[in-house]
Amino acid sequence: MKYRTNTPSTLLKDTLNEWANRYYHPKYFLTVQFPELEQKNNPWDAQENLRDVMSCFERQLLGRHWNNKHLPFMVFVEKNESYGWHYHILLGNQGVTKRRLNKAISTTTAIKGIPYYSMLLLPINKTKNRVFYYSEKGLHVNQKCQFNSDRII
């Protein structure tokens, strides 16, 4: 892209973007942000909240024995401006319909007692590159080409 410079950070993001487009083929973009009272400032505690919600989501989506047939997804972690964390999740293209995803979201939010707006699902159409760049904005690379890989789950 013309507006991006060749810094270590953009080179890493471009490489990750190319890999994900070539091998991963995400179809949906799911943002998960917990309500303010349930947000954790500690990233490991926040990740446990996400793991709990995503396991419930997968069970609702894939049914019994869901843990034998996971839905492929990539999670990018981003720090909120004030407190807590939220997650950008790229869901793989496994023949799951938007209707089934929305039903799984609805059931998951009801079971976990979180508002429906905490899980926002959007289809990824022709703007895959923009979705990846948006998801990767929390990744930073230093001059030694080391990056904060804990932002990718």
Side-chain angles (χ1 to χ4, degrees), residues 72-87:
F73 58 85
M74 292 173 64
V75 180
F76 294 90
V77 182
E78 188 176 338
K79 180 87 169 116
N80 292 339
E81 288 183 17
S82 59
Y83 186 84
W85 301 83
H86 65 276
Y87 307 91

Side-chain angles (χ1 to χ4, degrees), residues 125-137:
N125 297 323
K126 297 177 182 177
T127 58
K128 281 185 188 177
N129 288 345
R130 282 189 164 171
V131 169
F132 281 114
Y133 293 136
Y134 180 77
S135 300
E136 298 165 345
K137 68 184 176 184

Side-chain angles (χ1 to χ4, degrees), residues 24-25 27-28 62 70-72 91-97 100:
Y24 189 68
H25 309 292
K27 189 173 181 181
Y28 294 99
L62 302 174
H70 287 287
L71 176 70
L91 299 172
N93 185 3
Q94 298 298 314
V96 179
T97 64
R100 281 183 53 203

Side-chain angles (χ1 to χ4, degrees), residues 17-36:
N17 184 1
E18 183 181 325
W19 172 83
N21 271 322
R22 184 177 300 157
Y23 299 106
Y24 189 68
H25 309 292
K27 189 173 181 181
Y28 294 99
F29 181 71
L30 176 66
T31 299
V32 176
Q33 182 163 347
F34 294 100
E36 285 185 23

